[in-house]
Amino acid sequence: MTSKHNAAAPQGALVLFSGGQDSTTCLAWALERYPRVETIGFDYGQRHAVELTVRPTILEKMRAMNPDWAARLDADHLIDLSLIAAISDTAMTSNVAITMQENGLPNTFVPGRNLLFLTVAATVAYRRGLDVLVGGMCETDFSGYPDCRDDTIKALQVALNLGMATRLRLETPLMWIDKAASWELARTLGGDALIDLIRADTHTCYLGERGTLHDWGYGCGECPACALRANGYQQFAAGNPA
């Protein structure tokens, strides 16, 4: 990360890229729209750290999939945010059963995670001359996390721009669509090749399970992330029979 912020630089995007289904779809979405796209991932002591190991393969295959994407896809940044695990007590950062809490949220909710992710990403974007952040937050088909809601993202966009004197834009292409529509969006963006990549190479399961390849991808099949992904794929497949 060497270049300085330059208001006159061509518009570019920094995609929050975890290695999961949603962020991979968002990456394809950004590659269709922006002349330069960089990616950023976070090692925060997550229980499913396997998602970090699949990221390079996904990036390599997306470059090979489309020459235009290859020309636009630039640097990847992996940031150490292990302090999140140090100050959190959640099922995403500890080996405990996934349950609902008294506040109505699942204990997979990591307080402040997306707020910190976006703040750090905005700092990297500033230095790299990028003026769009792209994230896979969604409040249509999700686990109820308050930091995935549209109001949160809009408020944070205002705060970041006030705090850095920028005109950064936060884009959330999945915000108002469900998982079935996310699968369909991926097919629209990259055809069957992108669907196959998402199935076989991305990782979403909270437990980090990659022992069995289901029709919807790898995972335990029981955690909330797997349930959403599997149900969405079944609806998508029903509308797109072979």
Side-chain angles (χ1 to χ4, degrees):
M1 295 183 294
T2 58
S3 63
K4 299 298 184 181
H5 175 69
N6 181 355
Q11 187 180 73
L14 180 62
V15 179
L16 277 67
F17 176 60
S18 67
Q21 173 186 354
D22 291 346
S23 66
T24 300
T25 303
C26 286
L27 177 55
W29 181 90
L31 287 167
E32 285 290 300
R33 284 162 174 77
Y34 301 106
R36 180 164 66 97
V37 177
E38 300 190 11
T39 49
I40 186 168
F42 303 99
D43 183 351
Y44 62 97
Q46 58 266 55
R47 187 173 176 179
H48 56 305
V50 65
E51 69 177 1
L52 300 179
T53 69
V54 302
R55 294 174 75 256
T57 297
I58 296 169
L59 293 173
E60 178 182 351
K61 289 187 175 182
M62 291 187 74
R63 286 188 174 96
M65 189 180 300
N66 184 320
D68 289 336
W69 290 3
R72 296 179 179 189
L73 187 53
D74 204 339
D76 178 44
H77 314 275
L78 184 60
I79 307 298
D80 182 357
L81 286 182
S82 52
L83 66 91
I84 291 179
I87 62 177
S88 297
D89 183 17
T90 74
M92 291 284 270
T93 54
S94 303
N95 188 20
V96 298
I98 297 175
T99 61
M100 291 299 295
Q101 303 175 108
E102 291 182 1
N103 63 2
L105 293 173
N107 64 348
T108 52
F109 173 59
V110 182
R113 180 181 59 171
N114 281 341
L115 304 180
L116 187 55
F117 283 2
L118 287 165
T119 300
V120 172
T123 304
V124 173
Y126 186 101
R127 295 187 59 189
R128 299 290 294 175
L130 303 166
D131 51 10
V132 179
L133 297 183
V134 181
M137 298 78 180
C138 168
E139 66 169 89
T140 302
D141 203 357
F142 74 138
S143 297
Y145 300 160
D147 61 355
C148 287
R149 294 173 182 157
D150 188 54
D151 284 349
T152 301
I153 303 304
K154 287 178 177 175
L156 189 57
Q157 176 177 283
V158 172
L160 290 171
N161 283 320
L162 286 173
M164 298 194 300
T166 54
R167 297 186 64 85
L168 189 69
R169 191 169 77 250
L170 274 58
E171 295 282 4
T172 52
L174 309 184
M175 181 59 72
W176 304 115
I177 64 176
D178 61 18
K179 277 292 185 290
S182 293
W183 282 104
E184 183 60 38
L185 175 61
R187 189 179 71 85
T188 301
L189 292 166
D192 291 339
L194 184 56
I195 293 294
D196 290 343
L197 181 149
I198 290 173
R199 287 184 60 254
D201 293 294
T202 69
H203 184 85
T204 301
C205 175
Y206 288 161
L207 303 186
E209 175 58 51
R210 289 191 69 80
T212 302
L213 178 60
H214 307 275
D215 55 356
W216 45 268
Y218 285 100
C220 69
E222 298 180 1
C223 74
C226 282
L228 285 172
R229 179 166 170 159
N231 290 339
Y233 184 81
Q234 290 166 8
Q235 294 173 38
F236 162 75
N240 295 274

Short mmCIF file of all heavy atoms in Angstrom, two decimals, residues 167-221:
data_model
loop_
_atom_site.label_atom_id
_atom_site.label_comp_id
_atom_site.label_asym_id
_atom_site.label_seq_id
_atom_site.Cartn_x
_atom_site.Cartn_y
_atom_site.Cartn_z
N ARG A 167 -15.30 11.64 -0.21
CA ARG A 167 -16.62 11.37 -0.78
C ARG A 167 -16.72 9.88 -1.10
O ARG A 167 -17.14 9.47 -2.18
CB ARG A 167 -16.86 12.23 -2.02
CG ARG A 167 -16.88 13.73 -1.71
CD ARG A 167 -17.25 14.55 -2.92
NE ARG A 167 -18.62 14.29 -3.37
CZ ARG A 167 -19.70 14.88 -2.87
NH1 ARG A 167 -19.58 15.75 -1.86
NH2 ARG A 167 -20.90 14.61 -3.35
N LEU A 168 -16.32 9.08 -0.14
CA LEU A 168 -16.35 7.63 -0.26
C LEU A 168 -17.80 7.14 -0.33
O LEU A 168 -18.66 7.63 0.39
CB LEU A 168 -15.66 7.01 0.95
CG LEU A 168 -15.39 5.51 0.96
CD1 LEU A 168 -14.31 5.16 -0.06
CD2 LEU A 168 -14.94 5.08 2.36
N ARG A 169 -18.03 6.18 -1.21
CA ARG A 169 -19.37 5.61 -1.34
C ARG A 169 -19.36 4.15 -0.92
O ARG A 169 -18.50 3.38 -1.35
CB ARG A 169 -19.87 5.74 -2.78
CG ARG A 169 -21.36 5.42 -2.95
CD ARG A 169 -21.86 5.82 -4.32
NE ARG A 169 -21.47 4.89 -5.36
CZ ARG A 169 -20.58 5.15 -6.30
NH1 ARG A 169 -19.98 6.32 -6.34
NH2 ARG A 169 -20.29 4.24 -7.23
N LEU A 170 -20.29 3.74 -0.07
CA LEU A 170 -20.42 2.35 0.36
C LEU A 170 -21.53 1.69 -0.44
O LEU A 170 -22.69 2.12 -0.39
CB LEU A 170 -20.74 2.27 1.86
CG LEU A 170 -19.54 2.31 2.82
CD1 LEU A 170 -18.71 3.56 2.62
CD2 LEU A 170 -20.01 2.19 4.27
N GLU A 171 -21.17 0.65 -1.19
CA GLU A 171 -22.13 -0.07 -2.01
C GLU A 171 -22.40 -1.46 -1.43
O GLU A 171 -21.46 -2.17 -1.06
CB GLU A 171 -21.59 -0.22 -3.44
CG GLU A 171 -21.42 1.09 -4.20
CD GLU A 171 -22.75 1.62 -4.73
OE1 GLU A 171 -23.81 1.02 -4.44
OE2 GLU A 171 -22.72 2.63 -5.46
N THR A 172 -23.68 -1.83 -1.37
CA THR A 172 -24.08 -3.13 -0.84
C THR A 172 -25.06 -3.77 -1.83
O THR A 172 -26.28 -3.70 -1.66
CB THR A 172 -24.74 -2.99 0.54
OG1 THR A 172 -25.79 -2.00 0.46
CG2 THR A 172 -23.72 -2.56 1.58
N PRO A 173 -24.54 -4.39 -2.89
CA PRO A 173 -25.41 -4.90 -3.96
C PRO A 173 -26.37 -6.01 -3.54
O PRO A 173 -27.34 -6.28 -4.26
CB PRO A 173 -24.42 -5.39 -5.02
CG PRO A 173 -23.13 -5.56 -4.31
CD PRO A 173 -23.11 -4.55 -3.22
N LEU A 174 -26.13 -6.64 -2.39
CA LEU A 174 -27.01 -7.73 -1.94
C LEU A 174 -28.03 -7.27 -0.90
O LEU A 174 -28.81 -8.09 -0.42
CB LEU A 174 -26.17 -8.87 -1.35
CG LEU A 174 -25.01 -9.40 -2.19
CD1 LEU A 174 -24.35 -10.59 -1.50
CD2 LEU A 174 -25.45 -9.77 -3.60
N MET A 175 -28.03 -5.99 -0.55
CA MET A 175 -28.81 -5.52 0.59
C MET A 175 -30.27 -5.91 0.53
O MET A 175 -30.86 -6.30 1.54
CB MET A 175 -28.68 -3.99 0.70
CG MET A 175 -29.42 -3.38 1.89
SD MET A 175 -28.88 -4.02 3.51
CE MET A 175 -27.27 -3.22 3.65
N TRP A 176 -30.89 -5.84 -0.64
CA TRP A 176 -32.34 -6.04 -0.72
C TRP A 176 -32.73 -7.30 -1.48
O TRP A 176 -33.87 -7.41 -1.94
CB TRP A 176 -33.00 -4.81 -1.35
CG TRP A 176 -32.68 -3.54 -0.62
CD1 TRP A 176 -31.97 -2.47 -1.09
CD2 TRP A 176 -33.02 -3.21 0.72
NE1 TRP A 176 -31.85 -1.50 -0.13
CE2 TRP A 176 -32.50 -1.91 0.99
CE3 TRP A 176 -33.74 -3.86 1.74
CZ2 TRP A 176 -32.65 -1.28 2.23
CZ3 TRP A 176 -33.89 -3.24 2.97
CH2 TRP A 176 -33.36 -1.96 3.20
N ILE A 177 -31.82 -8.24 -1.63
CA ILE A 177 -32.17 -9.50 -2.31
C ILE A 177 -31.90 -10.68 -1.38
O ILE A 177 -31.07 -10.60 -0.47
CB ILE A 177 -31.39 -9.67 -3.63
CG1 ILE A 177 -29.88 -9.78 -3.40
CG2 ILE A 177 -31.70 -8.51 -4.58
CD1 ILE A 177 -29.09 -10.04 -4.68
N ASP A 178 -32.63 -11.77 -1.59
CA ASP A 178 -32.45 -12.95 -0.76
C ASP A 178 -31.37 -13.85 -1.36
O ASP A 178 -30.80 -13.54 -2.41
CB ASP A 178 -33.76 -13.70 -0.54
CG ASP A 178 -34.39 -14.20 -1.85
OD1 ASP A 178 -33.67 -14.28 -2.87
OD2 ASP A 178 -35.59 -14.52 -1.84
N LYS A 179 -31.09 -14.98 -0.70
CA LYS A 179 -29.99 -15.84 -1.15
C LYS A 179 -30.26 -16.45 -2.52
O LYS A 179 -29.34 -16.65 -3.31
CB LYS A 179 -29.74 -16.94 -0.12
CG LYS A 179 -28.86 -16.51 1.05
CD LYS A 179 -27.43 -16.26 0.59
CE LYS A 179 -26.50 -15.95 1.73
NZ LYS A 179 -26.76 -14.64 2.35
N ALA A 180 -31.52 -16.77 -2.81
CA ALA A 180 -31.82 -17.31 -4.14
C ALA A 180 -31.48 -16.28 -5.21
O ALA A 180 -30.89 -16.61 -6.25
CB ALA A 180 -33.30 -17.70 -4.22
N ALA A 181 -31.82 -15.02 -4.94
CA ALA A 181 -31.52 -13.95 -5.89
C ALA A 181 -30.02 -13.70 -5.97
O ALA A 181 -29.50 -13.28 -7.02
CB ALA A 181 -32.26 -12.68 -5.51
N SER A 182 -29.29 -13.96 -4.88
CA SER A 182 -27.83 -13.82 -4.91
C SER A 182 -27.20 -14.85 -5.84
O SER A 182 -26.27 -14.54 -6.60
CB SER A 182 -27.24 -13.98 -3.50
OG SER A 182 -27.63 -12.91 -2.66
N TRP A 183 -27.70 -16.08 -5.77
CA TRP A 183 -27.23 -17.10 -6.71
C TRP A 183 -27.53 -16.68 -8.16
O TRP A 183 -26.70 -16.83 -9.05
CB TRP A 183 -27.90 -18.44 -6.43
CG TRP A 183 -27.35 -19.20 -5.27
CD1 TRP A 183 -27.90 -19.33 -4.02
CD2 TRP A 183 -26.13 -19.96 -5.23
NE1 TRP A 183 -27.11 -20.12 -3.22
CE2 TRP A 183 -26.02 -20.52 -3.93
CE3 TRP A 183 -25.14 -20.22 -6.17
CZ2 TRP A 183 -24.95 -21.32 -3.55
CZ3 TRP A 183 -24.06 -21.03 -5.79
CH2 TRP A 183 -23.98 -21.57 -4.49
N GLU A 184 -28.73 -16.13 -8.37
CA GLU A 184 -29.12 -15.71 -9.71
C GLU A 184 -28.25 -14.54 -10.19
O GLU A 184 -27.87 -14.47 -11.36
CB GLU A 184 -30.59 -15.31 -9.73
CG GLU A 184 -31.12 -14.91 -11.11
CD GLU A 184 -31.00 -16.02 -12.14
OE1 GLU A 184 -31.22 -17.21 -11.78
OE2 GLU A 184 -30.67 -15.71 -13.30
N LEU A 185 -27.93 -13.62 -9.28
CA LEU A 185 -27.05 -12.51 -9.63
C LEU A 185 -25.69 -13.03 -10.07
O LEU A 185 -25.11 -12.56 -11.05
CB LEU A 185 -26.91 -11.56 -8.45
CG LEU A 185 -25.92 -10.40 -8.63
CD1 LEU A 185 -26.32 -9.50 -9.80
CD2 LEU A 185 -25.82 -9.58 -7.34
N ALA A 186 -25.18 -14.02 -9.34
CA ALA A 186 -23.88 -14.60 -9.71
C ALA A 186 -23.93 -15.22 -11.09
O ALA A 186 -23.00 -15.07 -11.90
CB ALA A 186 -23.46 -15.64 -8.67
N ARG A 187 -25.02 -15.90 -11.39
CA ARG A 187 -25.16 -16.51 -12.72
C ARG A 187 -25.21 -15.44 -13.81
O ARG A 187 -24.61 -15.58 -14.88
CB ARG A 187 -26.41 -17.38 -12.78
CG ARG A 187 -26.51 -18.22 -14.06
CD ARG A 187 -27.77 -19.08 -14.05
NE ARG A 187 -28.94 -18.24 -14.22
CZ ARG A 187 -29.42 -17.84 -15.40
NH1 ARG A 187 -28.81 -18.18 -16.52
NH2 ARG A 187 -30.49 -17.09 -15.47
N THR A 188 -25.90 -14.35 -13.53
CA THR A 188 -25.99 -13.25 -14.49
C THR A 188 -24.61 -12.64 -14.74
O THR A 188 -24.27 -12.27 -15.87
CB THR A 188 -26.96 -12.17 -13.99
OG1 THR A 188 -28.26 -12.75 -13.81
CG2 THR A 188 -27.06 -11.01 -14.95
N LEU A 189 -23.81 -12.53 -13.68
CA LEU A 189 -22.50 -11.88 -13.78
C LEU A 189 -21.45 -12.77 -14.42
O LEU A 189 -20.62 -12.30 -15.19
CB LEU A 189 -22.03 -11.48 -12.38
CG LEU A 189 -22.81 -10.37 -11.69
CD1 LEU A 189 -22.45 -10.32 -10.20
CD2 LEU A 189 -22.53 -9.01 -12.34
N GLY A 190 -21.47 -14.05 -14.08
CA GLY A 190 -20.39 -14.93 -14.53
C GLY A 190 -20.81 -16.26 -15.09
O GLY A 190 -19.95 -17.14 -15.31
N GLY A 191 -22.09 -16.44 -15.31
CA GLY A 191 -22.57 -17.69 -15.90
C GLY A 191 -22.35 -18.90 -15.01
O GLY A 191 -22.11 -18.79 -13.80
N ASP A 192 -22.44 -20.07 -15.62
CA ASP A 192 -22.27 -21.32 -14.87
C ASP A 192 -20.88 -21.44 -14.27
O ASP A 192 -20.70 -22.08 -13.23
CB ASP A 192 -22.55 -22.52 -15.77
CG ASP A 192 -24.02 -22.64 -16.15
OD1 ASP A 192 -24.87 -22.06 -15.43
OD2 ASP A 192 -24.32 -23.31 -17.17
N ALA A 193 -19.90 -20.81 -14.91
CA ALA A 193 -18.53 -20.89 -14.39
C ALA A 193 -18.43 -20.26 -13.00
O ALA A 193 -17.77 -20.79 -12.10
CB ALA A 193 -17.56 -20.21 -15.34
N LEU A 194 -19.11 -19.13 -12.81
CA LEU A 194 -19.07 -18.48 -11.51
C LEU A 194 -19.89 -19.26 -10.49
O LEU A 194 -19.50 -19.37 -9.32
CB LEU A 194 -19.58 -17.04 -11.60
CG LEU A 194 -19.50 -16.21 -10.32
CD1 LEU A 194 -18.06 -16.17 -9.78
CD2 LEU A 194 -20.01 -14.79 -10.54
N ILE A 195 -21.01 -19.82 -10.91
CA ILE A 195 -21.80 -20.66 -10.01
C ILE A 195 -20.97 -21.84 -9.53
O ILE A 195 -20.94 -22.17 -8.33
CB ILE A 195 -23.08 -21.17 -10.71
CG1 ILE A 195 -24.04 -20.01 -10.99
CG2 ILE A 195 -23.78 -22.25 -9.86
CD1 ILE A 195 -24.61 -19.34 -9.76
N ASP A 196 -20.26 -22.50 -10.46
CA ASP A 196 -19.43 -23.65 -10.09
C ASP A 196 -18.30 -23.23 -9.15
O ASP A 196 -17.97 -23.96 -8.19
CB ASP A 196 -18.84 -24.29 -11.34
CG ASP A 196 -19.90 -25.00 -12.19
OD1 ASP A 196 -21.00 -25.26 -11.66
OD2 ASP A 196 -19.62 -25.26 -13.38
N LEU A 197 -17.71 -22.06 -9.39
CA LEU A 197 -16.65 -21.57 -8.50
C LEU A 197 -17.20 -21.32 -7.10
O LEU A 197 -16.57 -21.70 -6.10
CB LEU A 197 -16.04 -20.30 -9.09
CG LEU A 197 -14.88 -19.66 -8.30
CD1 LEU A 197 -13.94 -18.96 -9.25
CD2 LEU A 197 -15.39 -18.66 -7.27
N ILE A 198 -18.36 -20.68 -7.02
CA ILE A 198 -18.95 -20.41 -5.71
C ILE A 198 -19.26 -21.71 -4.97
O ILE A 198 -19.00 -21.83 -3.77
CB ILE A 198 -20.21 -19.53 -5.87
CG1 ILE A 198 -19.82 -18.12 -6.30
CG2 ILE A 198 -21.01 -19.49 -4.56
CD1 ILE A 198 -21.00 -17.23 -6.64
N ARG A 199 -19.78 -22.68 -5.68
CA ARG A 199 -20.12 -23.97 -5.06
C ARG A 199 -18.87 -24.66 -4.51
O ARG A 199 -18.86 -25.11 -3.36
CB ARG A 199 -20.80 -24.90 -6.06
CG ARG A 199 -22.22 -24.56 -6.42
CD ARG A 199 -22.83 -25.62 -7.34
NE ARG A 199 -22.84 -26.93 -6.73
CZ ARG A 199 -22.00 -27.92 -7.06
NH1 ARG A 199 -21.08 -27.74 -7.99
NH2 ARG A 199 -22.09 -29.10 -6.45
N ALA A 200 -17.84 -24.75 -5.33
CA ALA A 200 -16.71 -25.60 -5.00
C ALA A 200 -15.58 -24.90 -4.26
O ALA A 200 -14.82 -25.56 -3.53
CB ALA A 200 -16.15 -26.24 -6.28
N ASP A 201 -15.46 -23.59 -4.39
CA ASP A 201 -14.27 -22.93 -3.88
C ASP A 201 -14.52 -21.93 -2.76
O ASP A 201 -13.60 -21.65 -1.98
CB ASP A 201 -13.54 -22.22 -5.03
CG ASP A 201 -12.97 -23.20 -6.04
OD1 ASP A 201 -12.05 -23.95 -5.67
OD2 ASP A 201 -13.45 -23.22 -7.19
N THR A 202 -15.72 -21.36 -2.67
CA THR A 202 -15.96 -20.40 -1.59
C THR A 202 -16.28 -21.12 -0.30
O THR A 202 -16.59 -22.31 -0.29
CB THR A 202 -17.11 -19.43 -1.94
OG1 THR A 202 -18.36 -20.15 -1.94
CG2 THR A 202 -16.90 -18.77 -3.28
N HIS A 203 -16.20 -20.38 0.80
CA HIS A 203 -16.52 -20.97 2.11
C HIS A 203 -17.40 -20.03 2.91
O HIS A 203 -17.07 -18.85 3.07
CB HIS A 203 -15.26 -21.29 2.91
CG HIS A 203 -15.61 -21.99 4.20
ND1 HIS A 203 -15.79 -23.35 4.27
CD2 HIS A 203 -15.89 -21.50 5.43
CE1 HIS A 203 -16.16 -23.67 5.51
NE2 HIS A 203 -16.23 -22.56 6.22
N THR A 204 -18.50 -20.58 3.45
CA THR A 204 -19.45 -19.79 4.23
C THR A 204 -19.74 -20.40 5.59
O THR A 204 -20.07 -19.69 6.54
CB THR A 204 -20.77 -19.62 3.45
OG1 THR A 204 -20.50 -18.97 2.21
CG2 THR A 204 -21.76 -18.75 4.22
N CYS A 205 -19.61 -21.71 5.73
CA CYS A 205 -19.96 -22.43 6.97
C CYS A 205 -19.25 -21.86 8.19
O CYS A 205 -18.02 -21.74 8.20
CB CYS A 205 -19.61 -23.90 6.80
SG CYS A 205 -19.84 -24.91 8.28
N TYR A 206 -20.03 -21.53 9.22
CA TYR A 206 -19.47 -20.97 10.45
C TYR A 206 -18.54 -21.95 11.17
O TYR A 206 -17.64 -21.53 11.91
CB TYR A 206 -20.61 -20.59 11.42
CG TYR A 206 -21.40 -19.37 11.02
CD1 TYR A 206 -22.67 -19.17 11.57
CD2 TYR A 206 -20.91 -18.43 10.14
CE1 TYR A 206 -23.43 -18.05 11.23
CE2 TYR A 206 -21.65 -17.31 9.80
CZ TYR A 206 -22.91 -17.12 10.35
OH TYR A 206 -23.64 -16.03 10.03
N LEU A 207 -18.76 -23.24 10.99
CA LEU A 207 -17.94 -24.23 11.70
C LEU A 207 -16.68 -24.61 10.93
O LEU A 207 -15.88 -25.41 11.41
CB LEU A 207 -18.78 -25.49 11.98
CG LEU A 207 -20.07 -25.28 12.78
CD1 LEU A 207 -20.72 -26.62 13.11
CD2 LEU A 207 -19.80 -24.48 14.06
N GLY A 208 -16.50 -24.06 9.75
CA GLY A 208 -15.29 -24.34 8.97
C GLY A 208 -15.27 -25.71 8.36
O GLY A 208 -14.19 -26.22 8.00
N GLU A 209 -16.43 -26.34 8.18
CA GLU A 209 -16.51 -27.70 7.68
C GLU A 209 -16.36 -27.74 6.16
O GLU A 209 -17.13 -27.10 5.43
CB GLU A 209 -17.86 -28.32 8.07
CG GLU A 209 -18.12 -29.70 7.50
CD GLU A 209 -17.07 -30.71 7.90
OE1 GLU A 209 -16.78 -30.83 9.10
OE2 GLU A 209 -16.53 -31.38 6.99
N ARG A 210 -15.36 -28.47 5.67
CA ARG A 210 -15.17 -28.63 4.23
C ARG A 210 -14.98 -30.09 3.86
O ARG A 210 -14.28 -30.43 2.89
CB ARG A 210 -13.97 -27.80 3.74
CG ARG A 210 -14.24 -26.30 3.77
CD ARG A 210 -13.18 -25.50 3.04
NE ARG A 210 -13.17 -25.67 1.61
CZ ARG A 210 -14.01 -25.06 0.77
NH1 ARG A 210 -14.95 -24.26 1.25
NH2 ARG A 210 -13.92 -25.26 -0.53
N GLY A 211 -15.63 -30.98 4.59
CA GLY A 211 -15.47 -32.40 4.32
C GLY A 211 -16.40 -32.94 3.26
O GLY A 211 -16.08 -33.93 2.60
N THR A 212 -17.55 -32.30 3.07
CA THR A 212 -18.55 -32.80 2.13
C THR A 212 -18.98 -31.69 1.18
O THR A 212 -19.35 -30.60 1.62
CB THR A 212 -19.79 -33.33 2.88
OG1 THR A 212 -19.41 -34.36 3.78
CG2 THR A 212 -20.83 -33.86 1.89
N LEU A 213 -18.94 -31.99 -0.12
CA LEU A 213 -19.40 -31.03 -1.12
C LEU A 213 -20.86 -31.32 -1.43
O LEU A 213 -21.19 -32.31 -2.08
CB LEU A 213 -18.55 -31.11 -2.40
CG LEU A 213 -18.98 -30.18 -3.54
CD1 LEU A 213 -18.90 -28.72 -3.10
CD2 LEU A 213 -18.12 -30.41 -4.78
N HIS A 214 -21.75 -30.46 -0.95
CA HIS A 214 -23.17 -30.57 -1.24
C HIS A 214 -23.45 -29.91 -2.58
O HIS A 214 -22.55 -29.30 -3.19
CB HIS A 214 -23.98 -29.87 -0.14
CG HIS A 214 -23.65 -30.33 1.24
ND1 HIS A 214 -24.23 -31.44 1.84
CD2 HIS A 214 -22.78 -29.83 2.16
CE1 HIS A 214 -23.76 -31.60 3.06
NE2 HIS A 214 -22.87 -30.63 3.28
N ASP A 215 -24.69 -30.00 -3.06
CA ASP A 215 -25.01 -29.34 -4.32
C ASP A 215 -24.85 -27.83 -4.22
O ASP A 215 -24.59 -27.15 -5.21
CB ASP A 215 -26.42 -29.70 -4.80
CG ASP A 215 -27.50 -29.41 -3.76
OD1 ASP A 215 -27.17 -29.00 -2.64
OD2 ASP A 215 -28.69 -29.61 -4.10
N TRP A 216 -24.94 -27.28 -3.00
CA TRP A 216 -24.81 -25.84 -2.77
C TRP A 216 -23.41 -25.42 -2.32
O TRP A 216 -23.14 -24.24 -2.14
CB TRP A 216 -25.83 -25.37 -1.73
CG TRP A 216 -25.93 -26.27 -0.53
CD1 TRP A 216 -26.79 -27.32 -0.35
CD2 TRP A 216 -25.12 -26.23 0.65
NE1 TRP A 216 -26.57 -27.93 0.88
CE2 TRP A 216 -25.56 -27.28 1.51
CE3 TRP A 216 -24.08 -25.40 1.08
CZ2 TRP A 216 -24.99 -27.51 2.76
CZ3 TRP A 216 -23.50 -25.63 2.32
CH2 TRP A 216 -23.96 -26.68 3.14
N GLY A 217 -22.54 -26.39 -2.09
CA GLY A 217 -21.18 -26.09 -1.66
C GLY A 217 -20.76 -26.86 -0.43
O GLY A 217 -21.49 -27.74 0.05
N TYR A 218 -19.59 -26.53 0.10
CA TYR A 218 -19.09 -27.18 1.30
C TYR A 218 -19.73 -26.58 2.55
O TYR A 218 -20.04 -25.38 2.59
CB TYR A 218 -17.57 -27.03 1.40
CG TYR A 218 -16.80 -27.91 0.47
CD1 TYR A 218 -16.29 -27.41 -0.73
CD2 TYR A 218 -16.58 -29.25 0.76
CE1 TYR A 218 -15.57 -28.22 -1.60
CE2 TYR A 218 -15.86 -30.07 -0.10
CZ TYR A 218 -15.36 -29.55 -1.28
OH TYR A 218 -14.67 -30.35 -2.14
N GLY A 219 -19.86 -27.41 3.60
CA GLY A 219 -20.37 -26.90 4.86
C GLY A 219 -21.00 -27.99 5.70
O GLY A 219 -21.24 -29.11 5.24
N CYS A 220 -21.27 -27.64 6.96
CA CYS A 220 -21.86 -28.60 7.89
C CYS A 220 -23.32 -28.89 7.55
O CYS A 220 -23.87 -29.93 7.91
CB CYS A 220 -21.75 -28.08 9.32
SG CYS A 220 -22.78 -26.62 9.69
N GLY A 221 -23.98 -27.94 6.89
CA GLY A 221 -25.38 -28.11 6.52
C GLY A 221 -26.36 -27.76 7.61
O GLY A 221 -27.57 -27.83 7.40
#
